[in-house]
Amino acid sequence: MTEQTLTVRFFARLREELGTEQLTMPANEEQTAGDLLAELASRGGPWAQLQGSQPVMIAINQAMVKPAAVVKAGDEVAFFPPVTGG
Amino acid sequence: MTEQTLTVRFFARLREELGTEQLTMPANEEQTAGDLLAELASRGGPWAQLQGSQPVMIAINQAMVKPAAVVKAGDEVAFFPPVTGG
Amino acid sequence: MISIQTEDFDTASEYTALRDSGAGTGAIATFTGLVRDHGDTQDVSGLFLEHYPGMTEQVIAGLIEEASRRWDVRKARVIHRVGRLLLREQIVFVGVCSAHRADAFAACEFIMDALKTSAPFWKKELAEDGEHWVEQKASDVARGEAWDK
Amino acid sequence: MISIQTEDFDTASEYTALRDSGAGTGAIATFTGLVRDHGDTQDVSGLFLEHYPGMTEQVIAGLIEEASRRWDVRKARVIHRVGRLLLREQIVFVGVCSAHRADAFAACEFIMDALKTSAPFWKKELAEDGEHWVEQKASDVARGEAWDK
């Protein structure tokens, strides 16, 4: 049996403050992006900010989603601060 | 005594249809741009269109005005169709 | 700066001049109008543009002043061609340089809209069956008036 | 067409390409954003722009598609730079070619506004006392949302 995983990516301030650009996490059944965020926040330290006062934006497979969006094995999930281009 | 006059100019379709680019008219006391327009329209023929159904725009000394604006000796009064540049 | 001219213009050098507007410049909005290759009637081969020399420049200077009162305008440039123009040629250029993009867009669009209803230019379409003066569009009048609200 | 690149761009050649958009073209609106020489803080010497490769292009393609549904868009071009940028350098270009000026202005401004709130770019200001990430502006969010009304 292959382990079911998903890829998590961080950008900009989050990438820097977490010291993490990308990680692989086990994919659970009926898991939302918000659940993932809570799981990562529970690591404490800088990770706690994922559920802090600063907004965190979420993309699944490179499309913006709400925290209630379901994540599946093989997905690329990204967390990042509000965008500031242009 | 110098004769008191004003200059009247026509542009675009009006210039062509009246066959007139510019003319000199006597300047009367308490005369408005609308009075001038009526006086010119009374010449009949193509001039009648100055009081016809097509709108005529008016400028005195190169600033757009309403028909009630007073014209004085020495003024440059222009009559033209609605503008269509750009 | 305002130019009324028969010659064509080079948007590249206009952009370069707008960009060189000193400190605080963050946004440049430009608009260029071309002679469309099918006008109000078929078989149009070009346009002839007449204007009221002197008044045209005054009206446009007034529009730039008004735009500068309403929005942050670091530099504004208007070029309008007159005389005979072929299909696809450039007619008009409006460029605005500002600290902020909302101001650049608003000032540029305002100047262009207001020019269409208040600057003394008249277009004549040149077609195979003769020439005819273009009528003012109600939609242009409405767009011009919308800025007064 | 969409380009995300570290190199600078040439608005002149972009304009030429937009102008060459085939029959019916009458209006070209462009917007260029520059690095302002005084940012949110003093002593800023430049910017660093990070993006999410792949997603960026998808988001912008979606914005161009939406603009093309809402307005007449003959051609649209978006260029956004990433990496290290000095003061006064060009950051972003949006150009739209349309039959009509109202459509050209609206589509260009919509793409630019929506890009600011939905395309995954992040700016970091580089100052003498260190670097700091730029916060999203409430005014940008409001402008982005205004297009939904």
Side-chain angles (χ1 to χ4, degrees):
Chain A
M1 198 180 106
T2 330
E3 199 195 358
Q4 300 282 295
T5 62
L6 45 80
T7 304
V8 181
R9 300 179 69 175
F10 304 95
F11 289 94
R13 185 179 45 74
L14 284 181
R15 175 180 55 71
E16 283 189 352
E17 293 180 6
L18 303 177
T20 305
E21 196 168 313
Q22 184 167 322
L23 48 78
T24 302
M25 291 178 72
N28 304 326
E29 293 271 317
E30 297 184 24
Q31 192 176 26
T32 67
D35 295 337
L36 259 189
L37 209 53
E39 190 181 329
L40 289 164
S42 70
R43 294 178 170 198
W47 297 88
Q49 71 179 292
L50 292 175
Q51 288 196 309
S53 57
Q54 304 242 51
V56 174
M57 297 178 87
I58 309 165
I60 298 179
N61 299 327
Q62 308 195 350
M64 218 83 89
V65 296
K66 309 242 170 201
V70 172
V71 296
K72 301 182 308 292
D75 280 352
E76 174 176 300
V77 184
F79 299 113
F80 45 79
V83 304
T84 55
Chain B
M1 197 181 105
T2 332
E3 201 194 357
Q4 300 283 295
T5 62
L6 44 79
T7 303
V8 181
R9 300 178 70 174
F10 303 96
F11 289 94
R13 184 179 46 73
L14 283 182
R15 176 181 55 71
E16 283 188 352
E17 293 180 6
L18 303 178
T20 305
E21 196 168 314
Q22 185 166 322
L23 48 79
T24 302
M25 291 177 74
N28 305 325
E29 293 271 317
E30 297 183 25
Q31 191 176 25
T32 67
D35 295 337
L36 260 190
L37 210 52
E39 190 182 328
L40 289 164
S42 69
R43 294 179 171 198
W47 298 89
Q49 71 179 291
L50 292 174
Q51 288 198 310
S53 56
Q54 304 241 50
V56 174
M57 295 176 87
I58 308 165
I60 298 180
N61 300 327
Q62 309 195 348
M64 219 83 90
V65 297
K66 310 243 173 201
V70 172
V71 296
K72 302 183 308 293
D75 280 353
E76 174 176 300
V77 184
F79 298 114
F80 45 79
V83 305
T84 54
Chain C
M1 204 168 76
I2 301 159
S3 304
I4 314 297
Q5 61 191 46
T6 52
E7 320 84 75
D8 196 8
F9 50 83
D10 174 32
T11 58
S13 54
E14 298 306 330
Y15 173 79
T16 303
L18 283 168
R19 188 178 164 185
D20 190 26
S21 297
T25 295
I28 299 168
T30 75
F31 177 84
T32 313
L34 309 175
V35 183
R36 261 191 302 151
D37 41 8
H38 36 75
D40 292 350
T41 50
Q42 292 301 312
D43 307 319
V44 172
S45 61
L47 292 180
F48 176 80
L49 268 139
E50 179 172 333
H51 79 304
Y52 186 166
M55 179 172 169
T56 319
E57 291 83 347
Q58 282 187 50
V59 168
I60 296 172
L63 298 179
I64 292 174
E65 271 172 41
E66 185 176 346
S68 303
R69 278 193 302 272
R70 293 174 72 166
W71 299 285
D72 175 276
V73 174
R74 305 291 164 120
K75 201 180 266 188
R77 177 78 169 113
V78 175
I79 308 173
H80 203 298
R81 291 178 67 195
V82 291
R84 189 173 282 265
L85 298 181
L86 300 175
L87 299 183
R88 300 204 181 198
E89 280 197 74
Q90 300 180 131
I91 308 175
V92 60
F93 175 84
V94 177
V96 171
C97 180
S98 170
H100 304 288
R101 84 182 182 288
D103 292 65
F105 272 118
C108 184
E109 193 167 9
F110 164 78
I111 292 170
M112 189 59 220
D113 281 355
L115 183 154
K116 287 208 81 115
T117 56
S118 66
F121 292 103
W122 300 274
K123 264 183 205 148
K124 182 193 263 181
E125 287 185 340
L126 310 176
E128 283 175 27
D129 64 344
E131 310 175 345
H132 71 277
W133 292 99
V134 174
E135 303 269 328
Q136 193 174 47
K137 292 193 182 81
S139 59
D140 284 336
V141 175
R143 282 181 65 81
E145 286 170 352
W147 291 99
D148 298 334
K149 279 170 197 161
Chain D
M1 204 167 76
I2 301 158
S3 303
I4 314 298
Q5 61 192 46
T6 52
E7 320 87 73
D8 196 7
F9 49 82
D10 174 31
T11 58
S13 54
E14 298 306 329
Y15 173 78
T16 303
L18 283 168
R19 188 178 163 184
D20 190 25
S21 296
T25 295
I28 298 168
T30 75
F31 176 84
T32 313
L34 310 175
V35 183
R36 260 190 304 151
D37 42 10
H38 34 77
D40 292 350
T41 51
Q42 293 300 310
D43 306 320
V44 172
S45 60
L47 293 179
F48 176 80
L49 268 138
E50 177 172 335
H51 80 303
Y52 186 167
M55 178 169 169
T56 318
E57 290 83 347
Q58 283 186 51
V59 167
I60 296 173
L63 298 179
I64 292 175
E65 271 172 40
E66 185 177 345
S68 303
R69 278 193 303 272
R70 293 174 71 166
W71 299 285
D72 175 276
V73 174
R74 306 290 163 121
K75 200 179 267 188
R77 177 78 169 112
V78 176
I79 308 173
H80 204 299
R81 291 177 68 193
V82 292
R84 189 174 283 264
L85 298 181
L86 299 175
L87 299 183
R88 302 203 181 195
E89 281 198 74
Q90 301 181 129
I91 309 176
V92 60
F93 175 85
V94 177
V96 171
C97 181
S98 170
H100 304 287
R101 85 181 180 289
D103 291 65
F105 272 118
C108 183
E109 193 167 8
F110 165 79
I111 291 169
M112 189 60 220
D113 282 354
L115 183 155
K116 287 208 82 114
T117 55
S118 66
F121 293 102
W122 300 272
K123 265 184 205 147
K124 182 194 263 182
E125 287 185 338
L126 310 176
E128 283 174 25
D129 64 342
E131 310 174 345
H132 71 276
W133 292 99
V134 174
E135 302 269 327
Q136 193 175 46
K137 292 195 181 81
S139 58
D140 285 336
V141 175
R143 282 181 66 81
E145 287 170 351
W147 290 99
D148 298 334
K149 279 170 197 164

